[in-house]
Amino acid sequence: MHFSGRRTLWPAFGSLLLGQHVVQGIPLNIDDTDSIKQAASTVAWDMMTYYHGNESGQVPGLLPNPPYYWWESGAMFGLLIEYWYLTGDSTYNELVSEAIQFQVGYGNDFKPQNQTKDLGNDDQVFWAFTAMTAAELKFPDPATGSPSWLSLAQAVFNEQVGVWDTANCGGGLRWQIYPLNAGYTYKNTISTGGFFQLAARLARYTGNSTYADWANTAMDWLLYESPLISPNNNSWNVWDGTDLLKKCVDADHNIWTYNYGTLLSGSAFMYNYTNGNSTWSDRITGLLNGAEVFFVQNTSAQYAADATVKPAPNGQIMAEWGCELQTPQTCNYDQPSFKTYLARWMALTTQMAPYTAPIILPLLRASAIGAATQCVGQAAGAQPIGTVCGRRWYQDIWDGWYGVGEQMSALSVIQSNLITKVAPPVTATKGGTSKGDPSAGTGNTANGPGGSPGVTNPVLTETITNGDKAGAGILTALTLVLILGLTWWIIV
């Protein structure tokens, strides 16, 4: 994932420079289930006009890059799984299943070789979220012989346990996986928070306490050992990241919706897993109170008179405070999708911690109404042909921006208003069908379903004996004889 000054990207699909247009958004009666489904269908269809991975000669699972990075593709397919679950529309199911399985990589761990130059721990975990969502929502299982949805998520968890970095700043995950990638010394909230959420979801699904232990470890590091969360009474400030070269003494104070969302969802899963432990309800409260900064008031009347007006806080319409409210907007290609994750994870929180529903559902309702007003007709000769959704849901005038992230965010918040119509995510003992492999991602699957998560491959840690060394020497000598013999044969 690429943002927060670590890598400067050009702005996302820019303003069409045609001036502001007063237009009619897509129809949405927020009190009518069929209307919500129809609006979601419209936004999903137009979102998928950007995707060509199901066409001849294209790569399944990838959005066009540039401008869209690999992680956002994975997030989009997770959103489509939720679309199917919430609306009952299976139009995209085969496409989604093909895309996910094509991107698992040789190790069945979401590390495809063609993504190494940009691969971060946060990128990998977003694909793991998608696999975990598939398991939790009983998305059709892959064919026999293919890795299960659950095992894919477990593989990522195990690999990220292996790179938990206690040598620097006492713990946490680095942003990047590989040392040569820019950002390797940056520990960002979304990487460690993503690991936390994945561990919490695995704990609830499997019932295995090892996952819960790691969820506690990750949250404790964020809260007590890093500068990434600043509890302010009952309202938490969640910052973007910290630099281990500076000993993690301070934080980058950018705030983003998805950082709050991933911690909120993970805390809600832990609340559910612990049967309502007050530690987790307190954390949910702190995150929800802190996230109030992302909800603003409608500014349609003021905006009509002054295009530079900023919305007042303490409203109910979601906004990406870090880049969307500026004039001109400063969002890169990643950031317009961030509201996707806060919306989807707030909705999930109402299922895992039902006492939050009276707080969260009105926010999702108002934001969906606003998003629908920003989804307008064809953009003057621009791709895609169809409906395009803008970013500023708090104004009735389309802001002139469009792209995959904008479509994803609108779809997520609109369909989240169906969350009360569906059952909560399943678990292994309550309806789940995806079979796990706790040793996935370790190189050791001998333990089978009864193994322990986070195990180490014993083959890689065996002591090398004198006999091993002698055997290796003999093999080396034989190899040299073979090479010399072939060389002589070629010369002769």
Side-chain angles (χ1 to χ4, degrees):
M1 211 162 298
H2 314 275
F3 54 93
S4 72
R6 290 315 208 182
R7 188 173 310 184
T8 301
L9 300 179
W10 55 93
F13 281 125
S15 174
L16 300 181
L17 303 179
L18 299 177
Q20 298 296 334
H21 296 272
V22 180
V23 291
Q24 181 66 44
I26 59 174
L28 175 62
N29 178 352
I30 201 66
D31 296 313
D32 182 80
T33 297
D34 289 338
S35 179
I36 297 172
K37 290 182 179 181
Q38 182 57 53
S41 175
T42 298
V43 178
W45 179 268
D46 291 311
M47 178 181 73
M48 294 308 289
T49 63
Y50 290 92
Y51 178 69
H52 304 289
N54 58 332
E55 299 173 5
S56 178
Q58 300 296 316
V59 180
L62 295 184
L63 287 162
N65 181 6
Y68 300 108
Y69 285 98
W70 178 70
W71 78 273
E72 193 166 348
S73 300
M76 184 184 75
F77 295 117
L79 179 63
L80 285 172
I81 293 173
E82 292 168 336
Y83 169 78
W84 158 75
Y85 188 68
L86 291 164
T87 68
D89 181 1
S90 61
T91 297
Y92 307 106
N93 282 15
E94 290 186 15
L95 175 153
V96 169
S97 186
E98 175 196 44
I100 299 170
Q101 293 180 75
F102 201 86
Q103 294 298 319
V104 298
Y106 292 125
N108 294 332
D109 55 0
F110 293 120
K111 278 188 178 178
Q113 287 185 319
N114 62 350
Q115 298 298 327
T116 55
K117 67 182 178 67
D118 292 312
L119 189 59
N121 285 302
D122 53 352
D123 304 308
Q124 187 188 30
V125 85
F126 263 85
W127 282 88
F129 288 158
T130 291
M132 197 70 223
T133 296
E136 292 167 336
L137 302 187
K138 297 180 68 174
F139 190 67
D141 292 318
T144 302
S146 299
S148 70
W149 304 131
L150 179 59
S151 70
L152 290 169
Q154 290 171 311
V156 173
F157 168 84
N158 285 331
E159 290 190 357
Q160 294 198 346
V161 166
V163 294
W164 182 261
D165 182 22
T166 56
N168 295 281
C169 310
L173 291 183
R174 296 170 183 256
W175 174 19
Q176 293 295 306
I177 293 175
Y178 301 109
L180 294 179
N181 289 355
Y184 184 68
T185 65
Y186 192 60
K187 292 192 173 184
N188 58 349
T189 299
I190 195 60
S191 294
T192 301
F195 173 72
F196 159 67
Q197 186 197 131
L198 180 62
R201 292 168 70 175
L202 283 167
R204 179 181 179 273
Y205 189 95
T206 66
N208 192 316
S209 62
T210 302
Y211 296 119
D213 292 342
W214 273 104
N216 279 301
T217 296
M219 179 56 89
D220 286 349
W221 182 80
L222 286 165
L223 261 176
Y224 306 125
E225 298 184 61
S226 85
L228 297 181
I229 299 176
S230 299
N232 181 13
N233 295 322
N234 290 324
S235 180
W236 288 14
N237 296 316
V238 179
W239 311 121
D240 183 67
T242 186
D243 194 335
L244 64 85
L245 294 180
K246 298 179 181 178
K247 308 298 183 183
C248 302
V249 296
D250 56 14
D252 175 343
H253 282 190
N254 284 308
I255 59 171
W256 303 105
T257 50
Y258 77 157
N259 281 330
Y260 283 79
T262 191
L263 298 179
L264 177 65
S265 176
S267 297
F269 273 90
M270 288 301 292
Y271 174 86
N272 190 277
Y273 171 78
T274 60
N275 296 313
N277 185 285
S278 61
T279 294
W280 293 107
S281 62
D282 289 345
R283 292 170 177 178
I284 290 170
T285 297
L287 289 162
L288 280 176
N289 289 341
E292 287 180 359
V293 69
F294 298 114
F295 291 88
V296 299
Q297 297 175 18
N298 187 291
T299 66
S300 298
Q302 301 99 309
Y303 196 89
D306 181 0
T308 65
V309 70
K310 291 186 178 180
N314 304 316
Q316 291 189 314
I317 301 176
M318 193 184 300
E320 193 61 63
W321 193 261
C323 68
E324 182 184 304
L325 304 186
Q326 290 77 8
T327 301
Q329 296 184 48
T330 60
C331 303
N332 64 25
Y333 279 100
D334 290 346
Q335 292 153 2
S337 78
F338 287 1
K339 290 186 292 187
T340 304
Y341 320 117
L342 181 56
R344 78 200 298 186
W345 291 330
M346 287 181 80
L348 261 176
T349 296
T350 67
Q351 292 184 311
M352 295 297 100
Y355 74 90
T356 64
I359 302 169
I360 290 174
L361 294 180
L363 302 176
L364 295 177
R365 175 188 175 93
S367 296
I369 294 170
T373 66
Q374 277 286 311
C375 294
V376 301
Q378 180 178 350
Q383 194 269 349
I385 298 173
T387 303
V388 294
C389 297
R391 301 172 187 164
R392 289 176 167 171
W393 300 344
Y394 53 84
Q395 67 184 49
D396 293 340
I397 301 171
W398 176 49
D399 62 8
W401 294 86
Y402 59 95
V404 173
E406 288 85 350
Q407 295 295 131
M408 288 175 62
S409 290
L411 175 59
S412 180
V413 76
I414 290 171
Q415 69 184 26
S416 288
N417 282 271
L418 297 170
I419 197 69
T420 61
K421 309 295 182 183
V422 295
V426 300
T427 67
T429 58
K430 295 183 179 179
T433 60
S434 190
K435 305 300 181 183
D437 178 3
S439 298
T442 67
N444 172 32
T445 57
N447 289 332
S452 298
V455 297
T456 302
N457 184 345
V459 177
L460 299 179
T461 57
E462 283 183 334
T463 302
I464 298 177
T465 65
N466 289 332
D468 293 328
K469 295 176 181 177
I474 294 170
L475 287 174
T476 301
L478 289 173
T479 301
L480 288 173
V481 170
L482 179 60
I483 291 172
L484 290 172
L486 287 171
T487 303
W488 177 85
W489 180 80
I490 292 170
I491 294 174
V492 173

